[in-house]
Amino acid sequence: MKKLILTFTFLLVAQFGFSQAVDEAFKKDVMKVIERSGAAGQMASAKKQILAMIPEEKQAAFLVEFDALLPKVYESTAKVYMEEYSKEDIKAMLAFYESPVGKKMGDKAEVIASKSQEAMKGLQGDIQALVMKYMQ
């Protein structure tokens, strides 16, 4: 009986260890997808927008703290990806982001984010007027 319990326990521990190793490989692939998708460029665009609202004498300190938060942002994003996408989905995304068009998307992410933010500024008045029309 002891051998049976010991064997069962060993199998559970081995399965848990294997599962963690697989999840770490999955997480590593997810982090590659996040990186190659241009998330850093999008965050850089957001950082520039926020930085414009911070007094100049406080900007250096802000940048240090903002950059320190980025790993947490990417970890949280990775967790969401791992919940919503399968390993096969992530492999397919990686294949795309390694293609010429995928690389271009990653490279252009910051520019696209900046231009999109500017375009939305022009539409904010229209959106606000639409919301006010239907709130009354």
Side-chain angles (χ1 to χ4, degrees):
M1 184 69 171
K2 284 183 182 180
K3 286 183 181 181
L4 180 64
I5 292 172
L6 186 59
T7 302
F8 181 72
T9 303
F10 177 74
L11 288 174
L12 282 176
V13 169
Q15 179 65 28
F16 179 72
F18 180 72
S19 151
Q20 278 189 315
V22 171
D23 287 345
E24 284 302 313
F26 181 39
K27 183 177 178 182
K28 187 175 179 180
D29 284 346
V30 167
M31 293 300 276
K32 283 181 191 175
V33 166
I34 292 168
E35 173 192 334
R36 292 181 183 160
S37 70
Q42 294 168 355
M43 290 302 294
S45 177
K47 180 168 54 173
K48 285 178 188 174
Q49 186 178 11
I50 296 167
L51 195 60
M53 297 183 274
I54 308 260
E56 194 171 328
E57 66 275 3
K58 295 180 181 180
Q59 289 181 0
F62 166 78
L63 290 172
V64 169
E65 290 189 47
F66 186 90
D67 289 342
L69 284 175
L70 290 178
K72 290 180 184 178
V73 170
Y74 296 136
E75 285 287 326
S76 295
T77 303
K79 184 177 178 183
V80 172
Y81 273 51
M82 292 171 74
E83 291 170 358
E84 297 298 324
Y85 295 115
S86 70
K87 293 172 186 173
E88 293 76 24
D89 293 335
I90 295 298
K91 293 286 185 192
M93 288 179 206
L94 274 175
F96 170 74
Y97 284 120
E98 290 171 357
S99 74
V101 173
K103 288 178 182 178
K104 187 174 184 177
M105 279 186 68
D107 292 343
K108 296 284 185 181
E110 183 176 355
V111 173
I112 298 294
S114 292
K115 288 183 176 183
S116 295
Q117 289 169 357
E118 286 300 316
M120 287 306 295
K121 284 182 186 176
L123 295 172
Q124 282 177 338
D126 295 339
I127 293 169
Q128 187 175 8
L130 180 65
V131 170
M132 294 304 290
K133 175 182 172 182
Y134 286 95
M135 285 181 63
Q136 297 176 2

